[in-house]
Each structure stands twice: as structure tokens, then as C-alpha cells.
Coordinates of all heavy atoms in Angstrom, one line a residue:
I236 N 0.8 -1.2 0.0 CA 0.0 0.0 0.0 C 0.9 1.3 0.0 O 1.8 1.4 0.8 CB -0.9 0.0 1.2 CG1 -2.0 -1.1 1.1 CG2 -1.6 1.4 1.4 CD1 -2.9 -1.2 2.3
D237 N 0.6 2.2 -0.9 CA 1.3 3.5 -1.0 C 0.4 4.4 -0.1 O -0.5 5.1 -0.6 CB 1.4 3.9 -2.4 CG 2.2 5.2 -2.6 OD1 2.3 5.9 -1.6 OD2 2.7 5.4 -3.7
R238 N 0.8 4.5 1.2 CA 0.0 5.3 2.1 C 0.0 6.8 1.7 O -1.1 7.4 1.8 CB 0.6 5.2 3.5 CG -0.3 5.8 4.6 CD 0.2 5.4 6.0 NE -0.5 6.1 7.0 CZ -0.2 7.2 7.5 NH1 0.8 7.9 7.1 NH2 -1.0 7.8 8.5
E239 N 1.1 7.3 1.2 CA 1.1 8.7 0.8 C 0.2 9.0 -0.3 O -0.5 10.0 -0.4 CB 2.6 9.1 0.5 CG 2.8 10.6 0.1 CD 4.2 10.9 -0.2 OE1 5.1 10.1 0.1 OE2 4.4 12.1 -0.6
A240 N 0.2 8.1 -1.3 CA -0.6 8.3 -2.5 C -2.1 8.2 -2.1 O -2.9 8.9 -2.6 CB -0.3 7.2 -3.5
A241 N -2.4 7.2 -1.2 CA -3.8 7.1 -0.8 C -4.3 8.3 0.0 O -5.4 8.8 -0.3 CB -3.9 5.8 0.2
L242 N -3.5 8.8 0.9 CA -3.9 10.0 1.7 C -3.9 11.3 0.9 O -4.5 12.2 1.3 CB -3.0 10.1 2.9 CG -3.1 9.0 4.0 CD1 -2.1 9.2 5.0 CD2 -4.5 9.0 4.6
S243 N -3.3 11.2 -0.3 CA -3.4 12.4 -1.2 C -4.7 12.5 -1.9 O -5.0 13.5 -2.5 CB -2.3 12.4 -2.2 OG -2.6 11.4 -3.2
Q244 N -5.6 11.5 -1.7 CA -6.9 11.5 -2.3 C -8.0 11.3 -1.2 O -8.7 10.3 -1.2 CB -7.0 10.4 -3.4 CG -6.1 10.6 -4.6 CD -6.3 9.5 -5.6 OE1 -6.0 8.4 -5.3 NE2 -6.7 9.9 -6.8
P245 N -8.1 12.3 -0.3 CA -9.1 12.1 0.8 C -10.5 11.9 0.3 O -11.3 11.2 1.0 CB -8.9 13.4 1.6 CG -8.3 14.3 0.7 CD -7.4 13.6 -0.2
D246 N -10.9 12.5 -0.8 CA -12.2 12.4 -1.3 C -12.5 10.9 -1.7 O -13.6 10.4 -1.4 CB -12.4 13.3 -2.5 CG -13.9 13.2 -3.1 OD1 -14.8 13.5 -2.3 OD2 -14.0 12.8 -4.2
I247 N -11.6 10.3 -2.3 CA -11.7 8.9 -2.6 C -11.8 8.0 -1.4 O -12.7 7.1 -1.3 CB -10.6 8.4 -3.6 CG1 -10.8 8.9 -5.0 CG2 -10.5 6.9 -3.6 CD1 -9.7 8.5 -6.0
L248 N -11.0 8.3 -0.4 CA -11.0 7.5 0.8 C -12.3 7.7 1.6 O -12.9 6.8 2.2 CB -9.8 7.9 1.7 CG -8.5 7.5 1.2 CD1 -7.4 7.9 2.2 CD2 -8.4 6.1 0.9
D249 N -12.9 8.9 1.5 CA -14.2 9.2 2.1 C -15.3 8.3 1.4 O -16.2 7.7 2.1 CB -14.6 10.6 2.0 CG -16.0 10.9 2.5 OD1 -16.2 10.8 3.7 OD2 -16.9 11.2 1.7
K250 N -15.2 8.2 0.1 CA -16.1 7.4 -0.7 C -16.0 5.9 -0.3 O -16.9 5.1 -0.2 CB -16.0 7.6 -2.2 CG -16.4 9.0 -2.6 CD -16.1 9.2 -4.1 CE -16.5 10.7 -4.5 NZ -16.2 10.9 -5.9
V251 N -14.7 5.5 -0.1 CA -14.4 4.1 0.3 C -15.0 3.8 1.7 O -15.6 2.8 1.9 CB -12.9 3.8 0.3 CG1 -12.6 2.5 1.0 CG2 -12.3 3.8 -1.1
R252 N -14.9 4.8 2.6 CA -15.5 4.7 3.9 C -17.0 4.5 3.8 O -17.6 3.6 4.5 CB -15.1 5.9 4.8 CG -15.5 5.8 6.2 CD -15.2 7.0 7.0 NE -15.3 6.8 8.4 CZ -16.5 6.7 9.1 NH1 -17.6 6.9 8.5 NH2 -16.5 6.5 10.4
R253 N -17.6 5.3 3.1 CA -19.1 5.2 3.0 C -19.5 3.9 2.3 O -20.5 3.3 2.7 CB -19.7 6.4 2.2 CG -19.8 7.7 3.0 CD -20.4 8.8 2.2 NE -19.4 9.5 1.4 CZ -19.7 10.3 0.3 NH1 -21.0 10.4 -0.1 NH2 -18.8 10.9 -0.3
T254 N -18.7 3.4 1.4 CA -19.0 2.1 0.7 C -18.9 1.0 1.8 O -19.7 0.1 1.8 CB -18.0 1.9 -0.4 OG1 -18.1 2.9 -1.4 CG2 -18.2 0.5 -1.1
A255 N -17.9 1.1 2.6 CA -17.7 0.1 3.7 C -19.0 0.1 4.6 O -19.5 -1.0 5.0 CB -16.5 0.3 4.5
L256 N -19.4 1.2 4.9 CA -20.6 1.3 5.8 C -21.8 0.7 5.1 O -22.6 0.0 5.7 CB -20.9 2.8 6.2 CG -19.9 3.5 7.0 CD1 -20.3 5.0 7.2 CD2 -19.7 2.8 8.4
I257 N -22.0 1.0 3.8 CA -23.1 0.4 3.1 C -23.0 -1.1 3.0 O -24.0 -1.9 3.1 CB -23.2 1.0 1.7 CG1 -23.6 2.5 1.8 CG2 -24.2 0.3 0.8 CD1 -23.5 3.3 0.5
E258 N -21.8 -1.6 2.8 CA -21.6 -3.1 2.7 C -22.0 -3.7 4.1 O -22.4 -4.9 4.1 CB -20.1 -3.4 2.4 CG -19.7 -3.0 1.0 CD -20.3 -3.9 -0.1 OE1 -21.1 -4.8 0.2 OE2 -20.0 -3.7 -1.3
S259 N -21.7 -3.0 5.2 CA -22.1 -3.6 6.5 C -23.6 -3.7 6.7 O -24.0 -4.5 7.6 CB -21.5 -2.7 7.6 OG -22.3 -1.5 7.8
Y260 N -24.4 -3.1 5.8 CA -25.8 -3.1 5.9 C -26.4 -4.5 5.5 O -27.6 -4.7 5.8 CB -26.4 -2.0 5.1 CG -27.9 -1.8 5.2 CD1 -28.4 -1.3 6.4 CD2 -28.8 -2.1 4.1 CE1 -29.8 -1.1 6.5 CE2 -30.1 -1.8 4.3 CZ -30.6 -1.3 5.4 OH -32.0 -1.1 5.6
H261 N -25.6 -5.3 4.9 CA -26.2 -6.6 4.4 C -26.7 -7.4 5.6 O -27.5 -8.3 5.4 CB -25.1 -7.4 3.7 CG -24.8 -6.8 2.3 ND1 -25.7 -6.6 1.4 CD2 -23.6 -6.3 1.8 CE1 -25.2 -6.0 0.3 NE2 -23.9 -5.9 0.5
A262 N -26.1 -7.2 6.8 CA -26.6 -7.9 8.0 C -28.1 -7.7 8.2 O -28.8 -8.6 8.8 CB -25.8 -7.4 9.2
L263 N -28.6 -6.6 7.7 CA -30.1 -6.3 7.8 C -30.8 -6.6 6.5 O -31.7 -7.4 6.4 CB -30.3 -4.9 8.2 CG -29.8 -4.5 9.6 CD1 -30.3 -3.1 9.9 CD2 -30.4 -5.4 10.7
G264 N -30.3 -5.9 5.4 CA -31.1 -5.9 4.1 C -31.1 -7.3 3.5 O -32.2 -7.8 3.1
T265 N -29.9 -7.9 3.3 CA -29.9 -9.2 2.6 C -30.5 -10.3 3.4 O -31.2 -11.2 2.9 CB -28.4 -9.6 2.3 OG1 -27.8 -8.5 1.6 CG2 -28.4 -10.8 1.5
V266 N -30.3 -10.3 4.7 CA -31.0 -11.3 5.6 C -32.5 -11.1 5.5 O -33.2 -12.1 5.5 CB -30.5 -11.1 7.1 CG1 -31.3 -11.9 8.0 CG2 -29.0 -11.5 7.2
S267 N -33.0 -9.9 5.4 CA -34.4 -9.7 5.3 C -35.0 -10.3 4.0 O -36.1 -10.8 3.9 CB -34.8 -8.2 5.5 OG -34.4 -7.8 6.7
L268 N -34.2 -10.1 2.9 CA -34.6 -10.7 1.6 C -34.6 -12.2 1.7 O -35.5 -12.8 1.1 CB -33.6 -10.2 0.5 CG -33.9 -8.9 -0.2 CD1 -32.7 -8.6 -1.1 CD2 -35.2 -9.0 -1.0
I269 N -33.7 -12.8 2.4 CA -33.7 -14.2 2.5 C -35.0 -14.7 3.2 O -35.6 -15.7 2.8 CB -32.4 -14.7 3.3 CG1 -31.2 -14.5 2.5 CG2 -32.6 -16.2 3.8 CD1 -29.9 -14.7 3.3
K270 N -35.4 -14.0 4.2 CA -36.6 -14.3 4.9 C -37.8 -14.2 3.9 O -38.7 -15.0 3.9 CB -36.8 -13.4 6.1 CG -35.9 -13.7 7.2 CD -36.1 -12.7 8.4 CE -35.1 -13.0 9.5 NZ -35.3 -12.0 10.7
L271 N -37.8 -13.1 3.1 CA -38.9 -12.9 2.2 C -39.0 -14.1 1.2 O -40.1 -14.5 0.8 CB -38.8 -11.6 1.4 CG -39.3 -10.3 2.0 CD1 -39.1 -9.2 1.1 CD2 -40.8 -10.4 2.3

């Protein structure tokens, strides 16, 4: 990992962070679809 290159793009890292949060939502959304 090129930490300096990564941190030079904080906007991209913010989008990665939000993506990670959305992926964590499968514990609710996907499980509910399985029940349906």
C-alpha cells in the first residue's frame, strides 16, 4: 500500500469509507430478503 498516495486523495477515501458502511448493511437488508 502506498499510504502517501492514498492519503493524497481524501475524497476517494471518504467514498471508500461510505462504501464500507453500506456493505455492512447486508446484515439487515440481505438477511431480510432471505426471509422474504
Side-chain angles (χ1 to χ4, degrees):
I236 291 175
D237 187 336
R238 185 170 181 271
E239 183 177 352
L242 291 174
S243 73
Q244 295 181 297
D246 180 60
I247 284 181
L248 294 182
D249 175 68
K250 292 175 182 179
V251 168
R252 186 183 193 280
R253 281 184 275 161
T254 300
L256 295 179
I257 293 170
E258 294 286 1
S259 78
Y260 187 69
H261 291 304
L263 295 184
T265 305
V266 170
S267 297
L268 271 174
I269 290 172
K270 291 179 180 178
L271 273 182

